Amino acid sequence: MATRDQSFIVDDEMEVPVPAAGEVWTVGAVVLNRDGAAFAQKRSPDRRLFPDTWDIVGGHVEAGETVMEALAREIEEETGWRLSRVRRFLGTTTWTGDDGGGLRHAADYLVEVDGDLDAPALEWSKHSAYGWIGRGDLHRLKENRGPGEFLIHDLVARALAERPDTA
């Protein structure tokens, strides 16, 4: 049985990391539409971290915020949608950005949202495009990335492969 966490449901036995003092954490959300395609947005070419690359919805966990609170906030800030359900934990990744900001930890989730999936309210100052990526479009997520820099591609591929029944 799922439990309620704030205004959204978090499925039972969900892994939720608790950042330790001094650690930098980010969250990521893979959102699927009715056709089973994943939402992706292209980072603006002038972004300091991973410019002109495809990304999922997400961002940094702020001081005093839980991972789930950050997930809900980032989804709303970046798309205008509201987190309704956290379906599956997709994993934790530790990485170092190309911006000199040091080591980060990312917790990624497959989620459901409320809102018009055909009309996301993007932060156009941070993103230049968006699209829905199906299995046949996964190669797009490798654009402007070097060999071995396929975190977003691999994460979305895993989410698409593990797609839960919508019934």
Side-chain angles (χ1 to χ4, degrees):
M1 175 175 214
T3 57
R4 273 242 173 237
D5 182 346
Q6 302 204 2
S7 62
F8 51 88
I9 296 169
V10 178
D11 283 5
D12 281 341
E13 315 257 340
M14 187 69 57
E15 186 172 332
V16 182
V18 177
E23 289 182 334
V24 177
W25 278 80
T26 63
V27 292
V30 176
V31 177
L32 302 180
N33 66 11
R34 284 182 225 82
D35 298 327
F39 181 78
Q41 49 194 354
K42 195 162 193 180
R43 296 172 67 86
S44 298
D46 59 346
R47 297 286 298 272
R48 194 170 51 145
L49 186 63
F50 307 119
D52 207 28
T53 61
W54 288 97
D55 202 357
I56 58 173
V57 175
H60 285 88
V61 177
E62 296 178 355
E65 194 174 45
T66 69
V67 166
M68 288 293 123
E69 289 167 343
L71 189 67
R73 177 184 50 76
E74 288 289 350
I75 290 168
E76 190 163 355
E77 284 178 3
E78 293 191 5
T79 64
W81 303 327
R82 289 179 132 334
L83 177 61
S84 61
R85 185 175 184 182
V86 183
R87 296 282 310 226
R88 182 172 295 146
F89 177 63
L90 296 173
T92 301
T93 307
T94 300
W95 55 280
T96 301
D98 57 5
D99 65 345
L103 189 67
R104 294 174 175 90
H105 307 277
D108 297 302
Y109 295 89
L110 178 62
V111 303
E112 294 176 7
V113 297
D114 290 327
D116 185 352
L117 296 183
D118 294 326
L122 292 188
E123 294 177 292
W124 288 108
S125 64
K126 295 181 179 180
H127 299 99
S128 59
Y130 74 91
W132 291 94
I133 307 294
R135 287 182 178 97
D137 304 314
L138 280 169
H139 65 277
R140 293 176 57 197
L141 300 178
K142 293 182 178 181
E143 291 174 8
N144 300 321
R145 300 304 305 155
E149 296 179 340
F150 302 140
L151 174 66
I152 298 302
H153 170 276
D154 296 349
L155 183 65
V156 170
R158 188 166 61 249
L160 292 176
E162 297 174 359
R163 181 179 179 210
D165 290 340
T166 56

